[in-house]
Amino acid sequence: MSETKENPSAADPETDQPREAETTEEAQKAAAGEPDVPEEEESTEAEAGSEAEAEAGSDADSEAGADADAEAGADSEADADSDEADDEPEPPPAPEPLLRPGNPLQLVRGASTLATGALVAFFLMALRPQYRASVPIGILAILVATFGLLDLCGTFDDPEDRVAKRLALADLTEPLGLFGGSVLGLFGAVSLAVAGYIGPIGAGLAVPVCFLGAVVGVYRIGDKLGAWERSPGGKPIPLLRRHGFWLVTLVTLLYLPALGSHSLSDPWETHYGEVAREILARNDWISLWWAQDGWFWSKPILDFWMQAIAMASFGVRYQPGAMLSAVAEGREPWPEWAVRLPIFLLTLVATYLLYKAVARVFGRRAGFLGGLVLTTMPQWFLVSHQTVTDMPFVATMSAAMALFLLGIHEDAEREVRVYEVSAFGAKYRLSAYHLVLGVIIACALPQILYLLSRNVEIIPKPFSLRFHADAFRSGSPMNCGLPGNQPCGDAFPVLKGLQPALQAILWIQALGLLLYMCWGERRAQRLYFLAAWFFAALSTMAKGPAGFGLPVLCALAYIVVSRRYRDLLRLEIVAGLLILLSVALPWFVAMYARHGQPFTDRLLFHDMFKRAFTHVHDTNEGDDVGFRFYVWQLGYAMFPWTGLVPAALVAWLRRREEGDRKSDASIFLAMWFLFAFALFTLMLTKFHHYIMPALPPAAMLTGILLDEMVQRSGARKITDTFAEQYERVLWGASGIAGGLLVFFVGRDLVGAREGMLGPVRLLHLFTYNYKRPFPSTLDFRTALIVFTCAASIFTLALVWARARRHVVTGLCAVSVLFAAWGIDVYFVKTSPHWGQRETVLAYYRAKQEIPGPIMAFQMNWKGENFYTGNSIPAFVSSGKKFQDYVLEQKKKGVKTFYFMTEHGRMGSLANELGGPRIFDKLTTPELNNKFGLVRATFE
């Protein structure tokens, strides 16, 4: 996130446009890694140099006569030597080495640190009893091991002449204290919210404040090191004048306050949340289990690992029957904070990197406006509050695209700055290399250690160490045989010869080869590309091969179109493939070794191949799913920017004629949008949220267009060229057409005519069942009318060139208010109707007065499983099996039962129960218009 060196193309704060290096000397300094010197300092040094030369000259005059003859003889010999040298051909320059040599190894210090962290993590993974603290302690151990491996490779010992600044650890005490205190405060605030000690208001205030405190701490650490980009005059840019900081603040204040203060949505959030919960309950981080359906093979692992790590770290009660059990202790827990926080972090990282990429080429204001547009698009901000696989897929892919754009416009030979920090008697020279390689190691190393631990078992009392072949279990622990759950049992790998330890050895080799190839690499461009490959690997772990396929396709197409074929040699393709091998591939191979062809058939062919070429789980019956389908959905997904996006998607054609890096970047963003739109339009299975990969490039192009409007705002001048006047006319026409388009899209969202879906269209941007009715008790028409009118008026007002700067500001303000309303009002009020949190809470409160077990009647939505820890007899279909189970419980002395079911099925439930003495409906459609809670009491 930091700029590793003074950037010769940094944005000029006066014009807010990228500036070129003023002189060749300055560019050479930047390329060589020398810190820029302010003009005042340069003049001072020049004066000092002149004085020194004068003194040296006066001393030399007294000796000139004595040395004259010697000099003459030396000159004649030199002339003869030079004549002979002229006859000899000059030797060719030394070729650039294929791999840059690294520093000597730190065998003792590095190996001991690596061994300490790795052994602690391995011990916790191999330990048979499961402890709640194992995950957070294991994370710290992995960080220690990562540091040790980097130290072992000698990466903290870069040459003396590359050090840009030297500090002692004591100099960083204050910013490190702010950062560490804020992180601990964030951890504590989320943990207290998860446990129910603070409610939505307290968490909504504490979590954003602590997070922003951590952001300020990161800035101050970088400021002390001198790592941040400076103004053209060499002066530091204050935090409050940094567009990136204000973008991070905007995203935080919009997204964080209500992030975990409403129910998970059925069926996908609760579905994936339950799979993640079972990782911890089963203590198995490879094979996934799905309540009522057995093995879960339809999605890759990233989202589930993130949720499981967050649940364990923040203290979610993931044991069966315990998810909301704190109600019995007088508290209302909010586990939603834990499972959604990783999604927020990925969203923020992607948005910030996109800002940096656009700011590098078009200026900081253009990057900020692009980030603001993306942040306030409803599909983006709604899915960012959903712990499903789509945002991890799109956010990491967008980060990869942004890093490619940063790398392709970076000086090929510029090296990153090195900062020396003295601590505990040692000197550590830090750079962006450690950030990039560190995150790669931190993601690859725990997978290697976990695979090694699958063939070892450690029992603490009495202590024993047992080696064994891989074995795992099926079923949901403590829920085995419960109606809706399969019996638990032992399971064994399909490929018995491909044991986890053998797999780990393969990935150790891949990681080792990667570290060897990058051992001495300090060029900024190459590090950008390595980071892009890393995020592409994460995207692959989120949703499959499209995670690296789409970025690679866009990058190659861009290189071909721009004819920059030499850049193919700089893309770190071999190292990138090694990153994919060591980060993304281990889980896929481990799953195939355990489950064989059924796993690949389900994941690759059913959920990827068949979705592309056939209709799978299609819920768009009766809709036109041709070319216009995603044009239609993008109108709602991008509101209130719908009117300007078409103009932004066309404006790049004008920039293409300029032939500079702005045109190149515009072409790349346009190709990204077109490839994403074409890919998901050609797929036969269509869900509304599938088009989300097209949102980031469209938002960035819209931000660039807004920046141009602001830059060229004002009255028409006599000196304006014909092209500039023509451009003003086009923008005015775009404002008129865009205003009308926004009005009609807003009319659809309001549901102005009978038969229109109305406000539910916003929920359809991320939900599954598009036929589900909208709650009759909720009416958002007035708010949507106000936002529609405001957005239409401001878009139309772009016709007024003299006030265009102020109009853009007003449109941005409307979009921010719309996003705040959409997240904190619309989403919070609709979530109880699309989730089951409130229904399950009603059960926990009711059973304190009248105890009794709970059952799910004719339900398969997964919310009933997640919020009860899967400790609920679930009957997808009723009949004799259901009646026999109730009769069995009655024979055991149970007289009161609680049932979760849909409101329309309560009559059938009463009939199948055979007329209980009391049949109370404990919840109403006002609380949840889909599901209800019933208490049945028998004699």
Side-chain angles (χ1 to χ4, degrees), residues 718-903:
I718 300 177
T719 57
D720 287 350
T721 64
F722 173 78
E724 291 173 336
Q725 296 180 29
Y726 181 65
E727 185 179 70
R728 287 172 177 269
V729 173
L730 285 181
W731 285 347
S734 299
I736 296 173
L740 293 174
L741 182 58
V742 170
F743 174 79
F744 285 113
V745 171
R747 182 201 62 172
D748 284 1
L749 293 176
V750 172
R753 294 205 307 259
E754 186 176 353
M756 285 186 173
L757 293 177
V760 76
R761 288 191 184 279
L762 292 176
L763 282 168
H764 286 178
L765 293 174
F766 65 89
T767 53
Y768 174 78
N769 187 350
Y770 306 134
K771 306 300 180 184
R772 191 163 170 173
F774 194 76
S776 59
T777 55
L778 298 179
D779 186 1
F780 298 115
R781 287 178 297 178
T782 301
L784 287 170
I785 289 172
V786 171
F787 286 118
T788 298
C789 292
S792 300
I793 291 171
F794 276 107
T795 307
L796 284 168
L798 291 171
V799 175
W800 191 8
R802 188 186 300 270
R804 199 166 277 156
R805 174 189 295 267
H806 305 294
V807 172
V808 170
T809 302
L811 188 56
C812 290
V814 170
S815 69
V816 170
L817 291 175
F818 173 71
W821 172 85
I823 295 170
D824 299 330
V825 179
Y826 177 88
F827 204 6
V828 170
K829 289 187 176 181
T830 56
S831 66
H833 300 274
W834 263 261
Q836 297 184 48
R837 171 188 169 83
E838 284 71 19
T839 307
V840 177
L841 279 174
Y843 161 68
Y844 277 105
R845 294 188 182 107
K847 81 169 189 174
Q848 293 184 69
E849 300 178 3
I850 305 177
I854 188 172
M855 303 181 200
F857 177 77
Q858 295 182 355
M859 289 182 63
N860 187 22
W861 287 89
K862 297 299 179 286
E864 64 274 17
N865 302 101
F866 175 80
Y867 281 112
T868 63
N870 198 29
S871 185
I872 181 172
F875 295 90
V876 178
S877 59
S878 55
K880 187 175 185 303
K881 184 178 180 180
F882 168 72
Q883 295 170 353
D884 290 346
Y885 183 80
V886 173
L887 181 61
E888 179 184 347
Q889 299 302 309
K890 289 165 65 176
K891 290 180 179 178
K892 294 179 180 179
V894 179
K895 295 184 178 180
T896 300
F897 297 85
Y898 293 86
F899 298 94
M900 291 178 62
T901 189
E902 297 182 21
H903 289 292

Side-chain angles (χ1 to χ4, degrees), residues 85 408 501 553 588 697:
I408 209 70
L553 176 63
F588 290 94

Side-chain angles (χ1 to χ4, degrees), residues 15-35:
T15 62
D16 210 16
Q17 294 298 309
R19 64 180 180 94
E20 303 297 335
E22 273 98 7
T23 64
T24 305
E25 182 181 356
E26 182 180 334
Q28 290 173 348
K29 285 183 179 181
E34 298 178 14

Side-chain angles (χ1 to χ4, degrees), residues 620-694:
N620 293 298
E621 184 179 355
D623 291 335
D624 178 5
V625 292
F627 171 81
R628 68 175 288 273
F629 180 80
Y630 282 128
V631 176
W632 172 35
Q633 293 305 320
L634 282 173
Y636 309 128
M638 297 175 172
F639 182 86
W641 301 104
T642 312
L644 287 180
V645 170
L649 292 174
V650 175
W652 72 272
L653 292 170
R654 175 180 52 80
R655 298 189 202 100
R656 184 186 60 177
E657 300 173 357
E658 299 174 4
D660 58 3
R661 64 180 192 166
K662 289 185 178 181
S663 66
D664 285 353
S666 299
I667 290 171
F668 176 76
L669 291 171
M671 290 174 60
W672 176 4
F673 175 85
L674 292 174
F675 278 132
F677 182 83
L679 173 65
F680 295 104
T681 296
L682 292 174
M683 287 178 59
L684 294 183
T685 302
K686 287 183 172 66
F687 293 116
H688 296 184
H689 62 276
Y690 276 7
I691 197 60
M692 203 170 70

Side-chain angles (χ1 to χ4, degrees), residues 560-580:
V560 171
V561 170
S562 59
R563 299 182 181 180
R564 302 178 60 161
Y565 303 109
R566 186 173 296 180
D567 287 333
L568 283 172
L569 302 176
R570 302 183 180 126
L571 289 180
E572 296 287 346
I573 294 176
V574 176
L577 294 176
L578 289 172
I579 292 173
L580 288 172

